[in-house]
Amino acid sequence: MITAIVLIKTSVDRIPEIAEAIAQLDSVSEVYSVTGTYDLIALVRVARHENLADIIPGRISKIPGVEATDTHVAFRTYSQHDLEAAFAIGLDA
């Protein structure tokens, strides 16, 4: 699974509506409204790199009110769940 973090600039008067429209797209797992340079951050999860082109410029960027996107593809995922699982290997409950 490939994860992309998409930073999104929007029309500020439509942030909630745009966030909801993005969240409804296939492959978008989460959308966050944030402070700072960008208005929204979306997490996109796809099986192949080629699918990123379908969802980000093909769908997200075409939503009315989306002004710009900046995409970052994750190399590796680290999470508390992964760490807990790793430390539990070989331990009996």
Side-chain angles (χ1 to χ4, degrees), residues 1-6 8 21-31 42-63 66 69 71-73:
M1 184 68 57
I2 299 162
T3 301
I5 298 94
V6 185
I8 305 165
I22 293 169
Q24 295 300 314
L25 297 174
D26 291 338
S27 302
V28 174
S29 62
E30 297 156 73
V31 178
L43 296 182
V44 177
R45 300 181 198 287
V46 295
R48 299 179 14 221
H49 278 94
E50 294 81 13
N51 300 123
L52 292 174
D54 295 334
I55 190 73
I56 299 167
R59 307 274 314 277
I60 291 176
S61 293
K62 292 183 179 178
I63 292 174
V66 171
T69 62
T71 302
H72 300 262
V73 176

Side-chain angles (χ1 to χ4, degrees), residues 67-79:
E67 297 173 354
T69 62
D70 186 7
T71 302
H72 300 262
V73 176
F75 291 130
R76 197 173 282 152
T77 301
Y78 301 90
S79 74

